[in-house]
Amino acid sequence: MKPLANKRLFLILTVLVVGGSLAALVFSSFTGALVYFHTPAEAVAKQRELDGKKIRVGGMVQAGSLVREAGTLKIRFLVTDGKAQIPVRYDGMVPDLFREGQGVVVEGTWKSGQDFSADTILAKHSEDYVPVEMSEQGIAKSKESLMKSLK
């Protein structure tokens, strides 16, 4: 082989080995960190497949389903998307926005025959949320303040 052909071959092999190693590192690091998001209907449909795996389920806390165990931080409630509902149990502090009828994302494991055991609860606020300063009352105050300054 010519020396130029050897250099090209060496360069191509080096790129393949380094690129393959980087791709393997990226894929192996994502494998343990990925937590998939499901709606309650999807989770119910895939319950056998999801058995014991860490997942996220997002939906609404069903009104009238929240039960607090007296003297503890343990709660039980239903997460629903209107098509299916999942019984959830959680032991810990809940976010301030957590309440019945509110959007929620729970992360944890769901074993067959048991309630969904949540490790984390993320309360979602309405998509119509606007800061207080931007609310109608805030806009009215801003207009009033502006009119006073123009007088």
Side-chain angles (χ1 to χ4, degrees):
M1 278 189 153
K2 296 179 182 177
L4 185 59
N6 284 340
K7 284 184 181 180
R8 285 185 183 162
L9 181 63
F10 179 74
L11 180 64
I12 291 170
L13 287 175
T14 303
V15 168
L16 287 175
V17 168
V18 170
S21 298
L22 288 175
L25 281 172
V26 168
F27 287 121
S28 66
S29 66
F30 280 134
T31 302
L34 289 177
V35 179
Y36 294 101
F37 178 85
H38 301 278
T39 64
E42 290 172 346
V44 168
K46 298 178 181 178
Q47 189 172 5
R48 284 187 178 187
E49 180 185 327
L50 300 174
D51 189 38
K53 293 181 181 175
K54 191 168 192 167
I55 61 170
R56 285 184 177 174
V57 178
M60 303 292 283
V61 179
Q62 186 166 338
S65 69
L66 181 60
V67 177
R68 295 181 189 273
E69 194 172 303
T72 68
L73 296 175
K74 294 179 182 179
I75 59 171
R76 302 180 91 169
F77 56 95
L78 296 173
V79 175
T80 184
D81 60 355
K83 299 175 187 170
Q85 51 186 225
I86 296 177
V88 177
R89 61 182 160 82
Y90 178 72
D91 186 7
M93 298 289 292
V94 295
D96 290 339
L97 294 174
F98 178 81
R99 61 183 61 95
E100 292 179 348
Q102 191 73 32
V104 69
V105 175
V106 293
E107 182 178 315
T109 55
W110 195 19
K111 295 181 181 172
S112 61
Q114 298 179 4
D115 293 346
F116 184 90
S117 177
D119 301 324
T120 305
I121 292 179
L122 304 170
K124 295 172 60 179
H125 59 75
S126 168
E127 293 176 3
D128 300 331
Y129 175 79
V130 291
V132 174
E133 297 83 22
M134 296 301 293
S135 68
E136 288 183 29
Q137 192 175 28
I139 292 172
K141 283 184 178 179
S142 296
K143 283 182 181 176
E144 188 178 308
S145 174
L146 180 65
M147 295 307 285
K148 281 183 181 177
S149 66
L150 293 175
K151 289 182 182 177

